[in-house]
Amino acid sequence: MKILILSVLISISFNFAQAQQNADSTAVMAILEEVFTVCNSASPEGESSTIIIFERLSQYILYTGNDPVRKNKEACNYDKSDDRKLVDETGLKINKWLDKIENYNVLKYSNQKQGAMDKHILKLGYKVKNSNKDITFGFVKIENNFYLIEIK
């Protein structure tokens, strides 16, 4: 009887973990799609400017700066110059990638513990001049929100 109860509990735990992973992977992909949309719709600073403003992107990027109160706890704040620099660099990097591809597909989703945070990794495949390439986007989940932390 104890073995039966234990195996049922293990099965329930496994099914819950699998359901959570499926929900997380769907949420990460939805956030990444939003990031792509925001980057594609970023506006120039002025009518004749080549400087692009990625203010809306800041809500999707984790603050990793020097302030210990904010570090790894919240999204970037575009009103702060250090945050703005990270957000703009990230937006330009994403736009450069989006400009050179026609489409992409999800190759792999995985998650792992990184210290106190859950890291979620989404690997996308794409083609450039008949050559298969891939790019990886890393996210962390903090209080049910996903934040972009790296692009490789």
Side-chain angles (χ1 to χ4, degrees), residues 5 21-22 24 41 57 62 67 69 71 75 106-107 110 117 124 126 131 139:
I5 292 172
Q21 183 172 354
N22 289 342
D24 285 348
S41 64
L57 184 60
L62 185 68
D67 182 348
V69 174
K71 186 174 185 169
V106 177
L107 297 177
S110 62
M117 295 186 282
L124 305 180
Y126 62 98
S131 178
F139 292 83

Side-chain angles (χ1 to χ4, degrees), residues 96-113:
K96 184 178 177 182
W97 178 73
L98 289 171
D99 286 346
K100 72 179 180 181
I101 67 161
E102 289 184 30
N103 55 39
Y104 61 88
N105 61 312
V106 177
L107 297 177
K108 182 180 178 184
Y109 166 81
S110 62
N111 66 332
Q112 57 190 259
K113 275 287 199 199

Side-chain angles (χ1 to χ4, degrees), residues 1-136:
M1 184 68 163
K2 287 182 182 180
I3 293 175
L4 177 61
I5 292 172
L6 183 59
S7 66
V8 168
L9 288 175
I10 290 171
S11 176
I12 289 170
S13 295
F14 176 77
N15 289 337
F16 177 76
Q18 187 64 41
Q20 184 63 49
Q21 183 172 354
N22 289 342
D24 285 348
S25 67
T26 301
V28 166
M29 191 62 221
I31 293 293
L32 187 59
E33 290 288 338
E34 288 177 36
V35 165
F36 291 166
T37 299
V38 167
C39 286
N40 278 327
S41 64
S43 59
E45 191 172 66
E47 287 196 28
S48 62
S49 177
T50 58
I51 299 171
I52 298 174
I53 304 298
F54 291 99
E55 185 173 4
R56 287 185 41 227
L57 184 60
S58 62
Q59 67 184 317
Y60 301 104
I61 299 174
L62 185 68
Y63 172 76
T64 56
N66 295 324
D67 182 348
V69 174
R70 297 179 57 219
K71 186 174 185 169
N72 296 331
K73 295 177 184 159
E74 63 183 47
C76 286
N77 180 343
Y78 203 77
D79 293 333
K80 298 182 184 273
S81 63
D82 288 345
D83 293 21
R84 186 179 322 114
K85 182 179 180 204
L86 172 64
V87 171
D88 288 344
E89 287 172 355
T90 302
L92 288 171
K93 186 174 187 177
I94 291 170
N95 269 0
K96 184 178 177 182
W97 178 73
L98 289 171
D99 286 346
K100 72 179 180 181
I101 67 161
E102 289 184 30
N103 55 39
Y104 61 88
N105 61 312
V106 177
L107 297 177
K108 182 180 178 184
Y109 166 81
S110 62
N111 66 332
Q112 57 190 259
K113 275 287 199 199
Q114 184 175 11
M117 295 186 282
D118 288 325
K119 185 174 181 183
H120 300 262
I121 300 146
L122 197 55
K123 186 175 186 178
L124 305 180
Y126 62 98
K127 262 188 180 170
V128 175
K129 297 180 184 174
N130 294 325
S131 178
N132 290 328
K133 307 271 186 184
D134 61 70
I135 188 168
T136 303

